[in-house]
Amino acid sequence: MLDTIEDGALYAMSVADYTQDEGLPRADREPYKPWSYNLDLTTVYIPRFTAGQQQWFAAITYNGKADTSPRLLVMAEQATTKRWEMVSCVDLDDKKQLPKIALDADGYATALDATSTKNVAAPVDVLRTAVGDNFATGGDLSGKKVFATAKASTRQITVHDKMIRKFGTRGSTAFSAASPEFTDSYALRTTNGSALVVFAHTHTQRDTVAAGLEIIPDKDDRAWLGTTNSPYFTYTFTCSDAATVPTAPGKSTLLGYTCRRTDAQGMATSS
């Protein structure tokens, strides 16, 4: 049923949530609670499209009664099934950071091709590489050059800085950007001439301990790793990201991102 309403990175993350939950003992599973978006506070942005173009629209909504915890959703029509499915859901850090979307006289938004430097100063491939670098090096190679200082970028860099030290002298953690499984991107023109861009990225985390030591799988990892200890584990994360990107040369701003662990491998299955 989930596959009929979700696709892309969001579907991969949702399936991972189910996989992780099913790997837990029943006593550790938290019961699912009904939830909904506040439709009274939801704003929908529908671009104009010509025949043959992929049909999609975006929405800014809130998970709760007050206008807090904003989320950026993207719905896209699937080419084969013609179903409308949600392909991205990004938790945004601050509603005050949200740019104003440009609307024409009829209330339609304008979709942009964020893969082209004709529309944005930093195309999606550059944004994706910079996000991966925030995790991999703490932003030292390209992350801090592409993105201005903001909560989301700072949080990614903090993840890197904290995790690489978690084993102390007993081991190491290394992050790496991975080839993205989901390459679609979605962008809307803003009133100041920049673009609001939604994309996905994939990164890995490799935990390794010193000779003679082994890592015990965390309970949340057991759906993938079982209970077998290993001297190293490699975790794969699928993420959705949202950023504002200028058209002229300048830094972009990462507005938020949402990640899920979607795979993990140990010595028995990786080399």
Side-chain angles (χ1 to χ4, degrees), residues 31-60:
Y32 290 108
K33 298 179 181 179
W35 61 274
S36 63
Y37 292 117
N38 190 331
L39 297 182
D40 291 334
L41 295 174
T42 298
T43 304
V44 178
Y45 299 101
I46 303 174
R48 291 184 184 273
F49 293 104
T50 58
Q53 288 185 304
Q54 184 187 21
Q55 309 289 302
W56 64 271
F57 66 87
I60 302 294

PDB file of all heavy atoms in Angstrom, residues 31-60:
ATOM      1  N   PRO A  31       4.473   1.774  19.311  1.00  0.00           N
ATOM      2  CA  PRO A  31       3.241   1.707  18.521  1.00  0.00           C
ATOM      3  C   PRO A  31       3.118   2.919  17.604  1.00  0.00           C
ATOM      4  O   PRO A  31       3.523   4.036  17.966  1.00  0.00           O
ATOM      5  CB  PRO A  31       2.134   1.705  19.584  1.00  0.00           C
ATOM      6  CG  PRO A  31       2.766   2.333  20.790  1.00  0.00           C
ATOM      7  CD  PRO A  31       4.209   1.932  20.755  1.00  0.00           C
ATOM      8  N   TYR A  32       2.591   2.681  16.415  1.00  0.00           N
ATOM      9  CA  TYR A  32       2.383   3.780  15.479  1.00  0.00           C
ATOM     10  C   TYR A  32       1.241   4.660  15.959  1.00  0.00           C
ATOM     11  O   TYR A  32       0.219   4.171  16.431  1.00  0.00           O
ATOM     12  CB  TYR A  32       2.068   3.240  14.082  1.00  0.00           C
ATOM     13  CG  TYR A  32       3.255   2.587  13.422  1.00  0.00           C
ATOM     14  CD1 TYR A  32       3.323   1.207  13.258  1.00  0.00           C
ATOM     15  CD2 TYR A  32       4.318   3.350  12.969  1.00  0.00           C
ATOM     16  CE1 TYR A  32       4.419   0.605  12.664  1.00  0.00           C
ATOM     17  CE2 TYR A  32       5.426   2.764  12.373  1.00  0.00           C
ATOM     18  CZ  TYR A  32       5.465   1.396  12.220  1.00  0.00           C
ATOM     19  OH  TYR A  32       6.544   0.809  11.637  1.00  0.00           O
ATOM     20  N   LYS A  33       1.434   5.959  15.860  1.00  0.00           N
ATOM     21  CA  LYS A  33       0.408   6.903  16.278  1.00  0.00           C
ATOM     22  C   LYS A  33      -0.122   7.655  15.057  1.00  0.00           C
ATOM     23  O   LYS A  33       0.664   8.093  14.204  1.00  0.00           O
ATOM     24  CB  LYS A  33       0.986   7.903  17.291  1.00  0.00           C
ATOM     25  CG  LYS A  33       1.492   7.254  18.575  1.00  0.00           C
ATOM     26  CD  LYS A  33       2.080   8.296  19.516  1.00  0.00           C
ATOM     27  CE  LYS A  33       2.598   7.649  20.795  1.00  0.00           C
ATOM     28  NZ  LYS A  33       3.191   8.645  21.717  1.00  0.00           N
ATOM     29  N   PRO A  34      -1.434   7.784  14.955  1.00  0.00           N
ATOM     30  CA  PRO A  34      -2.003   8.549  13.827  1.00  0.00           C
ATOM     31  C   PRO A  34      -1.478   9.987  13.835  1.00  0.00           C
ATOM     32  O   PRO A  34      -1.275  10.586  14.903  1.00  0.00           O
ATOM     33  CB  PRO A  34      -3.511   8.515  14.105  1.00  0.00           C
ATOM     34  CG  PRO A  34      -3.713   7.353  15.010  1.00  0.00           C
ATOM     35  CD  PRO A  34      -2.473   7.264  15.853  1.00  0.00           C
ATOM     36  N   TRP A  35      -1.229  10.528  12.666  1.00  0.00           N
ATOM     37  CA  TRP A  35      -0.768  11.906  12.567  1.00  0.00           C
ATOM     38  C   TRP A  35      -1.302  12.473  11.261  1.00  0.00           C
ATOM     39  O   TRP A  35      -1.779  11.752  10.377  1.00  0.00           O
ATOM     40  CB  TRP A  35       0.763  11.984  12.592  1.00  0.00           C
ATOM     41  CG  TRP A  35       1.414  11.267  11.452  1.00  0.00           C
ATOM     42  CD1 TRP A  35       1.744   9.949  11.390  1.00  0.00           C
ATOM     43  CD2 TRP A  35       1.757  11.825  10.186  1.00  0.00           C
ATOM     44  NE1 TRP A  35       2.291   9.638  10.179  1.00  0.00           N
ATOM     45  CE2 TRP A  35       2.304  10.780   9.410  1.00  0.00           C
ATOM     46  CE3 TRP A  35       1.669  13.098   9.634  1.00  0.00           C
ATOM     47  CZ2 TRP A  35       2.767  10.974   8.112  1.00  0.00           C
ATOM     48  CZ3 TRP A  35       2.124  13.299   8.340  1.00  0.00           C
ATOM     49  CH2 TRP A  35       2.674  12.236   7.598  1.00  0.00           C
ATOM     50  N   SER A  36      -1.231  13.770  11.144  1.00  0.00           N
ATOM     51  CA  SER A  36      -1.691  14.419   9.903  1.00  0.00           C
ATOM     52  C   SER A  36      -1.025  15.773   9.783  1.00  0.00           C
ATOM     53  O   SER A  36      -0.518  16.335  10.765  1.00  0.00           O
ATOM     54  CB  SER A  36      -3.214  14.582   9.920  1.00  0.00           C
ATOM     55  OG  SER A  36      -3.608  15.429  10.978  1.00  0.00           O
ATOM     56  N   TYR A  37      -1.020  16.299   8.560  1.00  0.00           N
ATOM     57  CA  TYR A  37      -0.543  17.652   8.334  1.00  0.00           C
ATOM     58  C   TYR A  37      -1.692  18.624   8.549  1.00  0.00           C
ATOM     59  O   TYR A  37      -2.859  18.287   8.344  1.00  0.00           O
ATOM     60  CB  TYR A  37      -0.007  17.800   6.908  1.00  0.00           C
ATOM     61  CG  TYR A  37       1.263  17.024   6.658  1.00  0.00           C
ATOM     62  CD1 TYR A  37       1.301  16.002   5.737  1.00  0.00           C
ATOM     63  CD2 TYR A  37       2.424  17.331   7.368  1.00  0.00           C
ATOM     64  CE1 TYR A  37       2.468  15.289   5.514  1.00  0.00           C
ATOM     65  CE2 TYR A  37       3.589  16.618   7.149  1.00  0.00           C
ATOM     66  CZ  TYR A  37       3.608  15.600   6.220  1.00  0.00           C
ATOM     67  OH  TYR A  37       4.766  14.908   6.012  1.00  0.00           O
ATOM     68  N   ASN A  38      -1.361  19.819   8.967  1.00  0.00           N
ATOM     69  CA  ASN A  38      -2.359  20.850   9.180  1.00  0.00           C
ATOM     70  C   ASN A  38      -2.669  21.508   7.835  1.00  0.00           C
ATOM     71  O   ASN A  38      -1.935  22.380   7.358  1.00  0.00           O
ATOM     72  CB  ASN A  38      -1.839  21.886  10.184  1.00  0.00           C
ATOM     73  CG  ASN A  38      -2.919  22.836  10.631  1.00  0.00           C
ATOM     74  OD1 ASN A  38      -3.861  23.122   9.896  1.00  0.00           O
ATOM     75  ND2 ASN A  38      -2.781  23.344  11.846  1.00  0.00           N
ATOM     76  N   LEU A  39      -3.752  21.067   7.198  1.00  0.00           N
ATOM     77  CA  LEU A  39      -4.078  21.557   5.861  1.00  0.00           C
ATOM     78  C   LEU A  39      -4.412  23.041   5.855  1.00  0.00           C
ATOM     79  O   LEU A  39      -4.232  23.723   4.837  1.00  0.00           O
ATOM     80  CB  LEU A  39      -5.240  20.747   5.282  1.00  0.00           C
ATOM     81  CG  LEU A  39      -4.957  19.253   5.063  1.00  0.00           C
ATOM     82  CD1 LEU A  39      -6.166  18.567   4.436  1.00  0.00           C
ATOM     83  CD2 LEU A  39      -3.727  19.062   4.178  1.00  0.00           C
ATOM     84  N   ASP A  40      -4.898  23.563   6.977  1.00  0.00           N
ATOM     85  CA  ASP A  40      -5.216  24.989   7.041  1.00  0.00           C
ATOM     86  C   ASP A  40      -3.960  25.850   6.954  1.00  0.00           C
ATOM     87  O   ASP A  40      -4.044  27.032   6.603  1.00  0.00           O
ATOM     88  CB  ASP A  40      -5.959  25.310   8.342  1.00  0.00           C
ATOM     89  CG  ASP A  40      -7.360  24.712   8.371  1.00  0.00           C
ATOM     90  OD1 ASP A  40      -7.922  24.495   7.277  1.00  0.00           O
ATOM     91  OD2 ASP A  40      -7.879  24.468   9.474  1.00  0.00           O
ATOM     92  N   LEU A  41      -2.815  25.262   7.279  1.00  0.00           N
ATOM     93  CA  LEU A  41      -1.554  25.999   7.241  1.00  0.00           C
ATOM     94  C   LEU A  41      -0.666  25.561   6.079  1.00  0.00           C
ATOM     95  O   LEU A  41       0.517  25.918   6.031  1.00  0.00           O
ATOM     96  CB  LEU A  41      -0.802  25.811   8.560  1.00  0.00           C
ATOM     97  CG  LEU A  41      -1.468  26.386   9.812  1.00  0.00           C
ATOM     98  CD1 LEU A  41      -0.686  25.987  11.057  1.00  0.00           C
ATOM     99  CD2 LEU A  41      -1.582  27.894   9.715  1.00  0.00           C
ATOM    100  N   THR A  42      -1.222  24.783   5.144  1.00  0.00           N
ATOM    101  CA  THR A  42      -0.447  24.260   4.025  1.00  0.00           C
ATOM    102  C   THR A  42      -0.567  25.173   2.811  1.00  0.00           C
ATOM    103  O   THR A  42      -1.663  25.588   2.445  1.00  0.00           O
ATOM    104  CB  THR A  42      -0.920  22.845   3.647  1.00  0.00           C
ATOM    105  OG1 THR A  42      -0.696  21.976   4.759  1.00  0.00           O
ATOM    106  CG2 THR A  42      -0.163  22.314   2.439  1.00  0.00           C
ATOM    107  N   THR A  43       0.565  25.480   2.213  1.00  0.00           N
ATOM    108  CA  THR A  43       0.598  26.276   0.982  1.00  0.00           C
ATOM    109  C   THR A  43       1.124  25.407  -0.146  1.00  0.00           C
ATOM    110  O   THR A  43       2.190  24.795  -0.020  1.00  0.00           O
ATOM    111  CB  THR A  43       1.502  27.509   1.142  1.00  0.00           C
ATOM    112  OG1 THR A  43       1.062  28.271   2.272  1.00  0.00           O
ATOM    113  CG2 THR A  43       1.452  28.380  -0.099  1.00  0.00           C
ATOM    114  N   VAL A  44       0.387  25.344  -1.240  1.00  0.00           N
ATOM    115  CA  VAL A  44       0.745  24.502  -2.380  1.00  0.00           C
ATOM    116  C   VAL A  44       1.260  25.372  -3.522  1.00  0.00           C
ATOM    117  O   VAL A  44       0.686  26.426  -3.825  1.00  0.00           O
ATOM    118  CB  VAL A  44      -0.472  23.675  -2.853  1.00  0.00           C
ATOM    119  CG1 VAL A  44      -0.118  22.836  -4.077  1.00  0.00           C
ATOM    120  CG2 VAL A  44      -0.957  22.770  -1.725  1.00  0.00           C
ATOM    121  N   TYR A  45       2.345  24.920  -4.151  1.00  0.00           N
ATOM    122  CA  TYR A  45       2.941  25.634  -5.280  1.00  0.00           C
ATOM    123  C   TYR A  45       2.912  24.724  -6.505  1.00  0.00           C
ATOM    124  O   TYR A  45       3.592  23.695  -6.536  1.00  0.00           O
ATOM    125  CB  TYR A  45       4.378  26.050  -4.956  1.00  0.00           C
ATOM    126  CG  TYR A  45       4.458  26.979  -3.766  1.00  0.00           C
ATOM    127  CD1 TYR A  45       4.823  26.501  -2.513  1.00  0.00           C
ATOM    128  CD2 TYR A  45       4.146  28.334  -3.895  1.00  0.00           C
ATOM    129  CE1 TYR A  45       4.891  27.354  -1.415  1.00  0.00           C
ATOM    130  CE2 TYR A  45       4.201  29.184  -2.806  1.00  0.00           C
ATOM    131  CZ  TYR A  45       4.578  28.691  -1.570  1.00  0.00           C
ATOM    132  OH  TYR A  45       4.623  29.536  -0.488  1.00  0.00           O
ATOM    133  N   ILE A  46       2.113  25.113  -7.486  1.00  0.00           N
ATOM    134  CA  ILE A  46       1.918  24.299  -8.690  1.00  0.00           C
ATOM    135  C   ILE A  46       2.557  25.001  -9.878  1.00  0.00           C
ATOM    136  O   ILE A  46       2.137  26.097 -10.264  1.00  0.00           O
ATOM    137  CB  ILE A  46       0.425  24.069  -8.961  1.00  0.00           C
ATOM    138  CG1 ILE A  46      -0.244  23.413  -7.743  1.00  0.00           C
ATOM    139  CG2 ILE A  46       0.230  23.214 -10.210  1.00  0.00           C
ATOM    140  CD1 ILE A  46      -1.745  23.275  -7.876  1.00  0.00           C
ATOM    141  N   PRO A  47       3.565  24.416 -10.483  1.00  0.00           N
ATOM    142  CA  PRO A  47       4.184  25.024 -11.668  1.00  0.00           C
ATOM    143  C   PRO A  47       3.362  24.739 -12.932  1.00  0.00           C
ATOM    144  O   PRO A  47       2.556  23.807 -12.980  1.00  0.00           O
ATOM    145  CB  PRO A  47       5.549  24.324 -11.751  1.00  0.00           C
ATOM    146  CG  PRO A  47       5.702  23.557 -10.467  1.00  0.00           C
ATOM    147  CD  PRO A  47       4.318  23.254 -10.010  1.00  0.00           C
ATOM    148  N   ARG A  48       3.580  25.550 -13.942  1.00  0.00           N
ATOM    149  CA  ARG A  48       3.030  25.272 -15.264  1.00  0.00           C
ATOM    150  C   ARG A  48       3.970  24.307 -15.987  1.00  0.00           C
ATOM    151  O   ARG A  48       5.191  24.439 -15.910  1.00  0.00           O
ATOM    152  CB  ARG A  48       2.920  26.558 -16.092  1.00  0.00           C
ATOM    153  CG  ARG A  48       1.862  27.546 -15.611  1.00  0.00           C
ATOM    154  CD  ARG A  48       1.799  28.713 -16.563  1.00  0.00           C
ATOM    155  NE  ARG A  48       0.886  29.742 -16.132  1.00  0.00           N
ATOM    156  CZ  ARG A  48      -0.410  29.765 -16.404  1.00  0.00           C
ATOM    157  NH1 ARG A  48      -0.945  28.772 -17.118  1.00  0.00           N
ATOM    158  NH2 ARG A  48      -1.179  30.750 -15.990  1.00  0.00           N
ATOM    159  N   PHE A  49       3.409  23.347 -16.702  1.00  0.00           N
ATOM    160  CA  PHE A  49       4.218  22.407 -17.461  1.00  0.00           C
ATOM    161  C   PHE A  49       3.658  22.285 -18.868  1.00  0.00           C
ATOM    162  O   PHE A  49       2.448  22.453 -19.096  1.00  0.00           O
ATOM    163  CB  PHE A  49       4.236  21.019 -16.802  1.00  0.00           C
ATOM    164  CG  PHE A  49       4.954  20.992 -15.477  1.00  0.00           C
ATOM    165  CD1 PHE A  49       4.246  20.948 -14.282  1.00  0.00           C
ATOM    166  CD2 PHE A  49       6.331  21.011 -15.431  1.00  0.00           C
ATOM    167  CE1 PHE A  49       4.896  20.923 -13.068  1.00  0.00           C
ATOM    168  CE2 PHE A  49       6.993  20.994 -14.209  1.00  0.00           C
ATOM    169  CZ  PHE A  49       6.281  20.948 -13.026  1.00  0.00           C
ATOM    170  N   THR A  50       4.538  21.982 -19.805  1.00  0.00           N
ATOM    171  CA  THR A  50       4.111  21.719 -21.173  1.00  0.00           C
ATOM    172  C   THR A  50       3.980  20.213 -21.373  1.00  0.00           C
ATOM    173  O   THR A  50       4.433  19.425 -20.535  1.00  0.00           O
ATOM    174  CB  THR A  50       5.119  22.290 -22.182  1.00  0.00           C
ATOM    175  OG1 THR A  50       6.418  21.700 -21.934  1.00  0.00           O
ATOM    176  CG2 THR A  50       5.224  23.803 -22.028  1.00  0.00           C
ATOM    177  N   ALA A  51       3.355  19.824 -22.443  1.00  0.00           N
ATOM    178  CA  ALA A  51       3.143  18.400 -22.728  1.00  0.00           C
ATOM    179  C   ALA A  51       4.478  17.669 -22.774  1.00  0.00           C
ATOM    180  O   ALA A  51       5.454  18.142 -23.358  1.00  0.00           O
ATOM    181  CB  ALA A  51       2.412  18.246 -24.048  1.00  0.00           C
ATOM    182  N   GLY A  52       4.525  16.518 -22.101  1.00  0.00           N
ATOM    183  CA  GLY A  52       5.732  15.699 -22.099  1.00  0.00           C
ATOM    184  C   GLY A  52       6.638  15.929 -20.913  1.00  0.00           C
ATOM    185  O   GLY A  52       7.514  15.104 -20.634  1.00  0.00           O
ATOM    186  N   GLN A  53       6.458  17.037 -20.199  1.00  0.00           N
ATOM    187  CA  GLN A  53       7.272  17.289 -19.012  1.00  0.00           C
ATOM    188  C   GLN A  53       6.707  16.540 -17.809  1.00  0.00           C
ATOM    189  O   GLN A  53       5.501  16.300 -17.733  1.00  0.00           O
ATOM    190  CB  GLN A  53       7.302  18.790 -18.694  1.00  0.00           C
ATOM    191  CG  GLN A  53       8.118  19.626 -19.645  1.00  0.00           C
ATOM    192  CD  GLN A  53       8.177  21.068 -19.183  1.00  0.00           C
ATOM    193  OE1 GLN A  53       7.161  21.721 -18.985  1.00  0.00           O
ATOM    194  NE2 GLN A  53       9.392  21.582 -19.018  1.00  0.00           N
ATOM    195  N   GLN A  54       7.599  16.179 -16.881  1.00  0.00           N
ATOM    196  CA  GLN A  54       7.125  15.538 -15.666  1.00  0.00           C
ATOM    197  C   GLN A  54       6.261  16.514 -14.866  1.00  0.00           C
ATOM    198  O   GLN A  54       6.602  17.674 -14.700  1.00  0.00           O
ATOM    199  CB  GLN A  54       8.277  15.065 -14.788  1.00  0.00           C
ATOM    200  CG  GLN A  54       7.797  14.303 -13.556  1.00  0.00           C
ATOM    201  CD  GLN A  54       8.910  13.968 -12.584  1.00  0.00           C
ATOM    202  OE1 GLN A  54       9.957  14.598 -12.598  1.00  0.00           O
ATOM    203  NE2 GLN A  54       8.692  12.987 -11.735  1.00  0.00           N
ATOM    204  N   GLN A  55       5.141  16.022 -14.382  1.00  0.00           N
ATOM    205  CA  GLN A  55       4.222  16.837 -13.608  1.00  0.00           C
ATOM    206  C   GLN A  55       4.538  16.683 -12.122  1.00  0.00           C
ATOM    207  O   GLN A  55       4.622  15.571 -11.612  1.00  0.00           O
ATOM    208  CB  GLN A  55       2.778  16.390 -13.872  1.00  0.00           C
ATOM    209  CG  GLN A  55       2.415  16.285 -15.355  1.00  0.00           C
ATOM    210  CD  GLN A  55       2.315  17.647 -16.019  1.00  0.00           C
ATOM    211  OE1 GLN A  55       1.535  18.492 -15.593  1.00  0.00           O
ATOM    212  NE2 GLN A  55       3.099  17.845 -17.059  1.00  0.00           N
ATOM    213  N   TRP A  56       4.694  17.800 -11.429  1.00  0.00           N
ATOM    214  CA  TRP A  56       4.952  17.751  -9.991  1.00  0.00           C
ATOM    215  C   TRP A  56       4.544  19.069  -9.350  1.00  0.00           C
ATOM    216  O   TRP A  56       4.362  20.077 -10.030  1.00  0.00           O
ATOM    217  CB  TRP A  56       6.424  17.453  -9.687  1.00  0.00           C
ATOM    218  CG  TRP A  56       7.401  18.491 -10.152  1.00  0.00           C
ATOM    219  CD1 TRP A  56       8.017  18.567 -11.374  1.00  0.00           C
ATOM    220  CD2 TRP A  56       7.874  19.627  -9.396  1.00  0.00           C
ATOM    221  NE1 TRP A  56       8.840  19.661 -11.444  1.00  0.00           N
ATOM    222  CE2 TRP A  56       8.766  20.338 -10.237  1.00  0.00           C
ATOM    223  CE3 TRP A  56       7.628  20.100  -8.122  1.00  0.00           C
ATOM    224  CZ2 TRP A  56       9.426  21.494  -9.829  1.00  0.00           C
ATOM    225  CZ3 TRP A  56       8.266  21.264  -7.699  1.00  0.00           C
ATOM    226  CH2 TRP A  56       9.157  21.940  -8.550  1.00  0.00           C
ATOM    227  N   PHE A  57       4.390  19.050  -8.039  1.00  0.00           N
ATOM    228  CA  PHE A  57       4.148  20.291  -7.317  1.00  0.00           C
ATOM    229  C   PHE A  57       4.744  20.165  -5.923  1.00  0.00           C
ATOM    230  O   PHE A  57       5.069  19.065  -5.461  1.00  0.00           O
ATOM    231  CB  PHE A  57       2.654  20.637  -7.252  1.00  0.00           C
ATOM    232  CG  PHE A  57       1.803  19.681  -6.455  1.00  0.00           C
ATOM    233  CD1 PHE A  57       1.639  19.839  -5.077  1.00  0.00           C
ATOM    234  CD2 PHE A  57       1.150  18.622  -7.073  1.00  0.00           C
ATOM    235  CE1 PHE A  57       0.847  18.970  -4.342  1.00  0.00           C
ATOM    236  CE2 PHE A  57       0.360  17.741  -6.348  1.00  0.00           C
ATOM    237  CZ  PHE A  57       0.206  17.921  -4.972  1.00  0.00           C
ATOM    238  N   ALA A  58       4.909  21.303  -5.274  1.00  0.00           N
ATOM    239  CA  ALA A  58       5.503  21.337  -3.938  1.00  0.00           C
ATOM    240  C   ALA A  58       4.514  21.925  -2.948  1.00  0.00           C
ATOM    241  O   ALA A  58       3.569  22.617  -3.325  1.00  0.00           O
ATOM    242  CB  ALA A  58       6.789  22.160  -3.953  1.00  0.00           C
ATOM    243  N   ALA A  59       4.732  21.631  -1.677  1.00  0.00           N
ATOM    244  CA  ALA A  59       3.881  22.180  -0.620  1.00  0.00           C
ATOM    245  C   ALA A  59       4.720  22.444   0.617  1.00  0.00           C
ATOM    246  O   ALA A  59       5.629  21.674   0.934  1.00  0.00           O
ATOM    247  CB  ALA A  59       2.737  21.221  -0.292  1.00  0.00           C
ATOM    248  N   ILE A  60       4.415  23.536   1.289  1.00  0.00           N
ATOM    249  CA  ILE A  60       4.991  23.823   2.600  1.00  0.00           C
ATOM    250  C   ILE A  60       3.894  23.543   3.613  1.00  0.00           C
ATOM    251  O   ILE A  60       2.799  24.105   3.531  1.00  0.00           O
ATOM    252  CB  ILE A  60       5.453  25.281   2.732  1.00  0.00           C
ATOM    253  CG1 ILE A  60       6.485  25.616   1.656  1.00  0.00           C
ATOM    254  CG2 ILE A  60       6.028  25.521   4.126  1.00  0.00           C
ATOM    255  CD1 ILE A  60       7.786  24.868   1.795  1.00  0.00           C
TER     256      ILE A  60
END
